């Protein structure tokens, strides 16, 4: 089963925001954003810009009819700066002009007077100064403090992990069109149509029922459009409201990189205690999350860092504390993994630290501590663990000992080229950690020609969710998938949607679609029963477009039956609702059962480091991954490969760099490098985990969007192994990404130290 979008993608026929036909009279927007990271906004001078060719209107905070506020979780994020600027790239004013070029030209003519205030870019500095988004959060299991006292080995250290630019191919953007009664129709490149609808309602003071948000598909979101599509839609909406003309804004790449938030950088202090059998008996960790200048999604991201702070390991005594630190950077946001990867990087660092000091291999400690059935996560949920199964099946298939021995042998033979190998287990919880978000709806129509139209709350962003939705309907109706069309995500058809996020879109919307289709099918069975002389609807079933009675085929086909139902005035439409059962979390005690299930897997990552130049190649990623039972192996393998490569990029070459003034220096594709076809692993091999366990996934097909990204963490530790193999005196600090520059400095860290001390070497 191919991704249904593949043909129209290749032909360039798929419709993205920029393909929406523009109406006559459309204006184009361009934002003037703050050149200063923190300061008092003394004045905004738009006089020159107003006179520029094609300019129709310039909008600042004071023009807004509604509230100047787009903060979804905390009201701390003005749409347009008012009185103060909090980060470089913060929108201050918006130019509306007849053409895009004119809007951009005029924006350059805006002048501001900003009285500088102290700029903080570092999370630890923010925490020390009391600049927090909200009070810290904590998870506790057992008694870590006491457990350290009796631990055989205790190690303490620090780990740092940088952010990541989403670099969706399609940049952020929106198109707002005025409709009747001062309403607005918004086309938005968003993962959260309802979030956009709410933000637009707030800044325009319109009721939500006058705002229609429509999403065709995204050229990638990766979390970057879970919340941060709101600003651009809100700006277009305000422009359309004030000018009564349609307004379009699609950001240029450098605007997008400069003005939008990214994955959160974290710094952490850890303390790990082991017994004589290498069992981790205690773990204490403090996270400093760099939230940027506003909350955005930082708090739920921080929570997921806590949820995944022990990754796939069972540790009986845990104390994890997390600070969301307010800095003068663009507000950081959701990014595939949602804080989980950062939490996992820190426990992996702690384990690597212990392994270094104890002279054992890191995977020995990893393996001995894998979580098992019945073990408790620090947040109270009891594991139904596939950690050990995925580890063993991966080992049987890929032979860890052999791969490690080969690398060791190679390293003996080669002085300046070294290989490194690392194992990376992953455990990721599926469900929004905020329980009420785990709901979805689906609207299914069967038309009288027998074709089927499906609308759900899921947004297609390349992950193939539309294909999966079509498969659900086709499977329940037993029709060819070509008879089903999945339509745009639209707030008039599906209201109050959760964003397409948390890897849960296929499960939540798929289950709603399943319910809607089953309901229609039940009605059809009741219509069919007398027609095929069945005793009851229960004796009727469907296969390949025909009605079956007690398992035997009849002449009654789908088309005739559908029309018969319509003649009998039986509804051929259904709007169904699904809410994940059995989940919940009590923040007052930080315990509960937040996840419908976990996804597990184990990867082995191999790299080769050129120890003269510091450059490396990623040789292979081999993983045993828990799909449950995949409903679309093409799509799911694509998700795994994409997730792995994105994780590798985060851990190796992608380096976001803000200077001390809070200016983004890695602000273009010339200075920010993501994996290309030459840098991806030569080999990615995925083995589906064999398991018969039931789960809450749609058709038992487990969520696949985010978990594979975390296999990428293995690359960091594989490179580290190679660096140590070159010179065992080099003990690299835990500081991701491991860029070639950092590798080089680490390979020669002793030399660098001597040079710094003024010695000749
Ligand atoms: N795959 C593609 N091609 N493009 C994307 O933007 N986003 C990822 C993942 N895979 C993304 C992707 C993220 S962050 C999430 S949460 C999931 O897809 C969301 O989709 P799902 O819930 O349908 O898995
Ligand atoms: N978004 C969100 C997410 O709002 N809550 C979550 O728990 C989550 N998890 C992963 C990715 N996005
Ligand atoms: Mo994904 S970070 O949940 O959009």
């Amino acid at each position: 089963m191919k991704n249904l979008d593949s043909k129209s993608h290749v032909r360039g026929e798929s419709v993205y925001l920029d393909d929406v036909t523009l109406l006559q009279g459309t204006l184009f927007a361009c934002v003037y954003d703050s050149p200063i990271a923190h300061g008092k906004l003394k004045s905004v001078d738009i006089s020159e810009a107003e006179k520029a060719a094609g300019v129709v209107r310039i909008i600042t905070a004071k023009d807004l009819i509604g509230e100047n506020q787009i903060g979804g979780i905390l009201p701390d994020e003005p749409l347009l700066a008012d009185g103060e600027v909090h980060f470089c790239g913060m929108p201050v004013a918006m130019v509306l002009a007849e053409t895009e070029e004119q809007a951009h030209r005029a924006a350059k003519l805006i002048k501001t007077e900003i009285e500088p205030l102290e700029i903080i870019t570092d999370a630890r500095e923010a925490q020390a100064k009391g600049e927090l988004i909200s009070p810290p959060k904590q998870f506790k299991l057992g008694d870590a403090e006491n457990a350290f006292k009796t631990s055989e080995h205790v190690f303490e250290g620090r780990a740092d992990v940088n952010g990541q630019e989403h670099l969706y191919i399609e940049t952020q953007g929106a198109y707002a069109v005025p409709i009747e009664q001062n309403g607005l129709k918004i086309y938005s490149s968003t993962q959260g149509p309802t979030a956009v609808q709410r933000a637009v309602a707030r800044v325009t003071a319109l009721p939500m029922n006058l705002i229609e948000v429509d999403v065709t598909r995204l050229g990638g979101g990766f979390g970057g459009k879970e919340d941060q599509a709101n600003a651009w839609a809100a700006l277009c909406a305000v422009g359309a409201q004030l000018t009564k003309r349609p307004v379009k804004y699609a950001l240029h790449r450098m605007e997008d990189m400069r003005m939008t938030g990214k994955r959160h950088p974290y710094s952490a202090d850890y303390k790990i205690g082991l017994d004589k059998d290498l069992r981790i008996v205690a773990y204490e960790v403090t996270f400093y999350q760099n939230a940027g200048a506003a909350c955005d999604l930082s708090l739920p991201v921080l929570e997921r860092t806590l949820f995944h702070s022990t990754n796939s390991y069972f540790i009986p005594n845990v104390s994890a504390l997390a600070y969301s630190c307010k800095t003068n950077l663009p507000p950081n946001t959701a990014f595939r993994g949602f804080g989980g990867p950062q939490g996992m990087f820190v426990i992996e660092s702690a384990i690597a630290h212990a392994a270094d000091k104890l002279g054992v291999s890191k995977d020995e400690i990893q393996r001995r501590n894998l979580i098992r059935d019945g073990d408790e996560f620090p947040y109270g949920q009891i594991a139904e663990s596939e950690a050990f199964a995925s580890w063993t099946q991966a080992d049987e298939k890929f032979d860890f000992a052999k791969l490690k021995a080969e690398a060791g042998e190679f390293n003996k033979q080669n002085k300046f080229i070294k290989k490194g190998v690392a194992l990376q287990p992953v455990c990721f919880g599926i469900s929004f950690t905020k329980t009420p978000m785990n709901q979805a709806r689906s609207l299914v129509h069967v038309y009288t020609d027998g074709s089927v139209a499906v609308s759900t709350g899921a947004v297609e962003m390349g992950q193939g969710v539309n294909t999966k939705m079509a498969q659900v309907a086709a499977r329940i109706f037993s029709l060819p998938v070509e008879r089903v069309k999945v339509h745009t995500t639209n707030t008039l058809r599906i209201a109050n949607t959760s964003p397409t996020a948390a890897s849960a879109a296929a499960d939540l919307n798929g289950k709603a679609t399943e319910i809607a289709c089953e309901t229609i099918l039940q009605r059809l069975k009741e219509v069919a029963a007398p027609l095929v002389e069945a005793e009851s609807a229960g004796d009727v079933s469907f296969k390949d477009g025909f009605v079956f009675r007690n398992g035997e085929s009849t002449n009654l086909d789908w088309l005739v039956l559908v029309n018969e139902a319509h003649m009998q005035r039986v509804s051929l439409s259904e709007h169904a609702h699904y809410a994940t059962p059995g989940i919940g979390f009590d923040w007052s005690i930080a315990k509960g059962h937040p996840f419908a299930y976990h996804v597990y897997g184990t990867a082995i990552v191999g790299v080769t480091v050129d120890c003269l130049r510091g450059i490396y190649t990623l040789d292979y990623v081999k993983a045993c991954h828990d799909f449950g039972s995949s409903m679309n192996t093409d799509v799911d393998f694509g998700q795994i490969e994409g997730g792995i490569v994105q994780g590798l990029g985060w851990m190796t070459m992608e380096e976001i760099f803000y200077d001390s003034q809070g200016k983004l220096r890695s602000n273009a594709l010339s200075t920010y490098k993501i994996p290309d076809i030459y840098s991806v692993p030569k080999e990615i091999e995925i083995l589906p985990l064999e398991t018969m366990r039931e789960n809450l996934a749609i058709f038992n097909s487990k969520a696949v969007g985010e978990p594979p990204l975390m296999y990428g963490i293995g690359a960091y530790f594989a490179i580290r192994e190679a660096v140590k193999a070159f010179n065992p005196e080099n003990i690299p600090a835990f500081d991701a990404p491991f860029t070639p520059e950092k590798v080089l400095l680490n390979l020669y860290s002793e030399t660098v130290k001597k040079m710094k001390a003024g010695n000749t070497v």
Side-chain angles (χ1 to χ4, degrees), residues 42-65:
K42 292 291 201 188
S43 67
V44 183
D45 177 2
I46 58 170
S47 56
E48 284 297 305
E50 261 179 333
K51 282 184 257 162
V55 172
V56 171
R57 174 129 191 200
I58 296 176
I59 293 164
T60 58
K62 65 178 182 348
D63 300 316
L64 266 57
I65 291 173

Side-chain angles (χ1 to χ4, degrees), residues 73 191 222-223 226 297 300-301 303-304 307-308 334-340 428-435 437-438 498-504 595 706:
I73 291 177
Q191 294 173 234
F222 306 112
E226 181 172 337
L297 293 167
V301 168
E303 288 164 17
R304 200 174 265 277
F307 281 113
H308 296 314
F335 196 137
R336 209 170 193 171
F338 207 72
F428 195 77
I430 303 301
S431 286
F432 290 94
T433 56
K434 190 174 170 193
T435 304
M437 291 175 80
N438 297 287
S498 291
T500 290
S503 305
F595 300 118
E706 294 169 289

Side-chain angles (χ1 to χ4, degrees), residues 624-756:
C624 176
H625 184 81
D626 173 18
F627 293 89
S629 89
S630 174
M631 70 185 281
N632 189 319
T633 46
D634 254 31
V635 165
D636 288 351
F637 276 89
Q639 283 296 294
I640 298 218
E641 289 176 4
I644 286 176
V645 170
Q646 201 162 34
L648 293 172
W650 173 51
M651 279 288 117
T652 60
M653 62 185 67
E654 297 185 37
E655 189 171 36
I656 290 179
F657 186 79
Y658 287 98
D659 65 21
S660 62
Q661 295 307 295
K663 248 198 172 45
L664 181 67
R665 295 298 183 178
S666 52
N667 65 351
L669 290 175
S670 54
T671 43
Y672 189 79
K673 179 87 183 88
I674 66 161
D676 58 19
I677 195 67
Y678 300 104
S679 45
V680 298
K682 289 191 208 79
E683 197 187 337
I684 293 183
E685 200 179 341
I686 308 299
L687 173 74
L689 175 83
E690 292 197 18
T691 166
M692 299 305 289
R693 232 191 270 259
E694 286 288 310
N695 58 52
L696 283 171
I698 177 72
F699 298 151
N700 242 25
S701 171
K702 280 190 169 182
V704 73
E706 294 169 289
L709 180 130
M710 285 149 269
Y711 295 136
I713 297 172
Y716 182 93
F717 291 94
I719 293 171
R720 198 170 178 276
E721 286 306 308
V723 168
K724 287 195 302 173
F726 177 68
N727 179 355
E729 271 182 66
N730 296 326
I731 299 295
F734 300 105
D735 181 16
F738 223 150
T739 58
E741 289 84 348
K742 272 194 218 158
V743 171
L744 191 65
L745 288 173
N746 272 295
L747 285 165
Y748 298 96
S749 57
E750 290 306 307
T751 319
V752 171
K753 259 187 233 155
K754 284 179 201 155
M755 283 165 71
K756 279 192 180 149

Side-chain angles (χ1 to χ4, degrees), residues 514-529:
E514 183 185 20
I515 296 167
C517 295
E518 288 286 8
T519 307
I520 296 171
L521 199 71
Q522 185 55 32
R523 289 184 207 132
L524 288 173
K525 283 180 182 171
E526 272 151 29
V527 173

Side-chain angles (χ1 to χ4, degrees), residues 75-300:
D76 64 351
E77 193 177 356
L79 177 64
L80 289 165
D82 190 9
E84 272 195 14
V85 291
H86 299 129
F87 62 93
C88 281
M90 181 173 183
V92 175
M94 175 174 61
V95 179
L96 299 176
E98 300 289 349
T99 72
E100 208 181 326
E101 291 72 23
Q102 288 170 335
H104 278 265
R105 230 170 265 149
K108 293 203 177 72
L109 300 174
I110 293 178
K111 292 185 197 78
T112 46
E113 211 186 317
I114 298 170
E115 185 184 303
L117 292 169
E118 186 197 26
I119 294 167
I120 301 176
T121 59
D122 178 74
R124 286 181 188 255
E125 184 187 342
Q127 191 269 345
K129 291 181 171 157
E131 291 289 332
L132 297 179
I133 296 287
S134 82
K137 293 195 186 281
Q138 191 162 26
F139 275 6
K140 271 187 181 215
L141 180 69
D143 182 351
E145 209 181 309
N146 252 318
F148 280 119
K149 289 185 195 143
T150 54
S151 296
E152 186 90 6
H153 314 285
V154 177
F155 306 103
E156 283 182 73
R158 168 177 168 154
D160 288 272
V161 55
N162 205 347
Q164 185 175 24
E165 169 64 49
H166 299 88
L167 226 88
Y168 21 65
I169 294 180
E170 179 198 34
T171 54
Q172 302 269 5
Y175 182 39
V177 180
I179 54 173
E180 277 187 2
Q181 290 187 18
N182 299 318
L184 291 165
K185 173 161 186 176
I186 315 276
Y187 300 89
S188 166
S189 178
T190 180
Q191 294 173 234
T194 295
V196 163
Q197 189 188 19
R198 284 199 195 105
V200 168
R202 199 166 180 186
V203 298
T204 58
L206 288 171
M208 284 169 78
N209 67 356
L210 282 181
I211 300 160
E212 172 185 358
V213 179
D214 191 82
V215 184
T216 55
R217 61 165 61 62
L218 317 188
F222 306 112
K225 297 169 183 170
E226 181 172 337
D227 214 43
Q228 298 214 350
N230 297 2
W232 321 106
L235 285 166
C236 290
V238 164
Q241 184 181 38
L242 294 175
T243 62
K244 306 250 182 281
R245 288 173 67 173
V247 173
K248 165 103 186 261
Y249 192 15
L251 272 60
H252 288 188
R253 178 64 67 188
M254 286 178 76
E255 289 180 296
D256 190 305
M257 292 180 85
R258 185 172 77 231
M259 295 196 271
T260 67
K262 304 162 199 325
R263 185 189 289 286
H264 293 80
Y266 275 68
S267 185
D269 296 317
Y270 61 79
K271 183 171 170 187
I272 189 168
L274 298 94
D275 68 13
K276 59 180 180 359
D277 299 321
L278 302 180
R279 290 251 156 70
I280 306 172
V281 288
Y283 182 56
E284 194 177 279
V285 58
T286 306
F287 294 105
Y288 302 88
Q289 176 202 54
N290 192 330
C295 175
D296 190 271
L297 293 167
S298 295
L299 297 178

Side-chain angles (χ1 to χ4, degrees), residues 416-437:
F416 289 113
I417 304 178
K418 297 290 181 191
K419 285 193 186 290
V421 175
L423 273 137
Q424 188 55 58
V426 164
C427 165
F428 195 77
I430 303 301
S431 286
F432 290 94
T433 56
K434 190 174 170 193
T435 304
M437 291 175 80

